Amino acid sequence: MAETKSQDAIALLKEAHREVEKLFKQFEEAKGDGRKQKLAHQICLELIVHSEIEETIFYPACEGTVDEDELKEGYVEHDAAKLLIAEIEAAEDGADDDFFDTKVKVLSEEIEHHIKEEEGPGGIFSQARKGKLDMDALGEQLAAKKKELIARYKDEGLPTPKLKTMDEVSV
Ligand SMILES: [Fe+2]
Ligand SMILES: [Fe+2]
């Protein structure tokens, strides 16, 4: 299994991007509320875990190597996505939400944009690659944290996402 093999940090993050893109595609094609909610929950789990490992391990490791503005943009994009994730998760608790599918669609568009920021030419990953980061060691840390968080959130349920950059207003 791939997960037992150690993986370069960027390869691990990119693989998670492909996985969530696949889930969004499955959601788009899914029929039936039960199936859609299951997929939406899986998407939220993947994204919460992914943003948490990026924010606690990968982005801090990139400080001093990747442009500060680029990293700040990443953090704000994560927070913007967390707002929709929290909405989607809340709607799963039985409430009828006419905007449910639309929220998942808009989330997928935000994530698609964010993935380009990370993976695109001159983006966070390519800048990080040019630095002196130990991608194998970072990959190990990311994989361990990811495993721990998935186990915890499957057991305890997803936490309300914590915003890192937004506290000027509450809506
Ligand atoms: Fe990412
Ligand atoms: Fe990200």
Side-chain angles (χ1 to χ4, degrees):
M1 291 278 288
E3 62 187 14
T4 57
K5 211 172 75 195
S6 67
Q7 213 176 16
D8 167 280
I10 290 176
L12 179 145
L13 295 172
K14 281 186 171 175
E15 193 177 282
H17 292 169
R18 301 294 82 80
E19 178 62 26
V20 82
E21 284 168 350
K22 196 177 85 192
L23 288 167
F24 276 124
K25 185 134 199 357
Q26 286 174 0
F27 182 91
E28 220 179 283
E29 291 161 359
K31 303 254 184 297
D33 289 349
R35 167 98 177 124
K36 283 186 174 180
Q37 292 206 333
K38 211 172 153 227
L39 283 164
H41 179 70
Q42 185 65 29
I43 288 167
C44 291
L45 172 72
E46 295 279 340
L47 289 176
I48 285 186
V49 168
H50 187 76
S51 61
E52 196 166 337
I53 65 173
E54 284 185 340
E55 288 179 14
T56 58
I57 298 170
F58 189 72
Y59 279 24
C62 288
E63 278 170 27
T65 300
V66 174
D67 283 346
E68 193 190 348
D69 286 349
E70 202 76 44
L71 291 173
K72 282 164 106 175
E73 199 171 326
Y75 283 124
V76 173
E77 287 178 356
H78 282 183
D79 275 1
K82 286 175 205 165
L83 298 175
L84 276 172
I85 290 169
E87 271 290 309
I88 291 162
E89 275 295 296
E92 280 187 292
D93 296 333
D96 252 38
D97 183 348
D98 289 343
F99 291 98
F100 186 77
D101 287 14
T102 315
K103 286 171 185 169
V104 176
K105 183 167 175 46
V106 173
L107 179 63
S108 80
E109 290 166 353
E110 286 186 7
I111 295 301
E112 193 187 330
H113 169 84
H114 178 66
I115 287 174
K116 282 202 191 109
E117 296 279 345
E118 289 185 338
E119 291 190 22
I124 293 176
F125 291 178
S126 78
Q127 288 189 38
R129 188 65 89 194
K130 288 184 190 132
K132 292 191 168 56
L133 300 171
D134 183 343
M135 290 299 176
D136 289 332
L138 269 176
E140 259 178 56
Q141 285 180 51
L142 291 168
K145 182 85 178 172
K146 180 173 178 173
K147 204 171 154 200
E148 176 203 318
L149 291 177
I150 288 176
R152 186 190 311 160
Y153 297 158
K154 279 193 170 158
D155 190 39
E156 297 171 4
L158 275 185
T160 305
K162 284 190 204 70
L163 299 178
K164 186 180 169 74
T165 67
M166 296 183 188
D167 56 9
E168 301 298 325
V169 290
S170 68
V171 289

